[in-house]
Amino acid sequence: MNALKEAGGVARVADVLSGIPDLTVSCAWDALWALIGRGQVAHHHIRAHQVNLEFHSLIRLTEGVDHEHC
């Protein structure tokens, strides 16, 4: 979450996952999907519901969610 906050709310998946120390890539992906599932992060793409979320994709903090307590 800090990587997204520091990037102004939008960042590449790769940048966010690389900022999570001591986690394997698979665990970091699981953490990202948990945030997406809770509605705190979203795929930042005009057709997000039609394209896959990839390592190079952009993600964003969602609006109206308290991101301070994540």
Side-chain angles (χ1 to χ4, degrees):
M1 294 296 269
N2 286 338
L4 272 173
K5 291 175 188 175
E6 291 170 6
V10 177
R12 295 217 178 272
V13 170
D15 296 334
V16 173
L17 297 188
S18 67
I20 304 173
D22 302 324
L23 279 183
T24 63
V25 172
S26 62
C27 287
W29 269 106
D30 287 346
L32 176 58
W33 280 109
L35 291 171
I36 291 171
R38 291 195 315 236
Q40 295 173 315
V41 174
H43 187 181
H44 187 64
H45 192 282
I46 195 165
R47 294 184 327 259
H49 62 285
Q50 296 175 336
V51 297
N52 292 331
L53 181 68
E54 304 283 347
F55 206 58
H56 61 272
S57 298
L58 291 172
I59 53 175
R60 64 176 170 78
L61 293 173
T62 54
E63 296 179 14
V65 175
D66 180 10
H67 298 287
E68 294 300 318
H69 297 97
C70 297

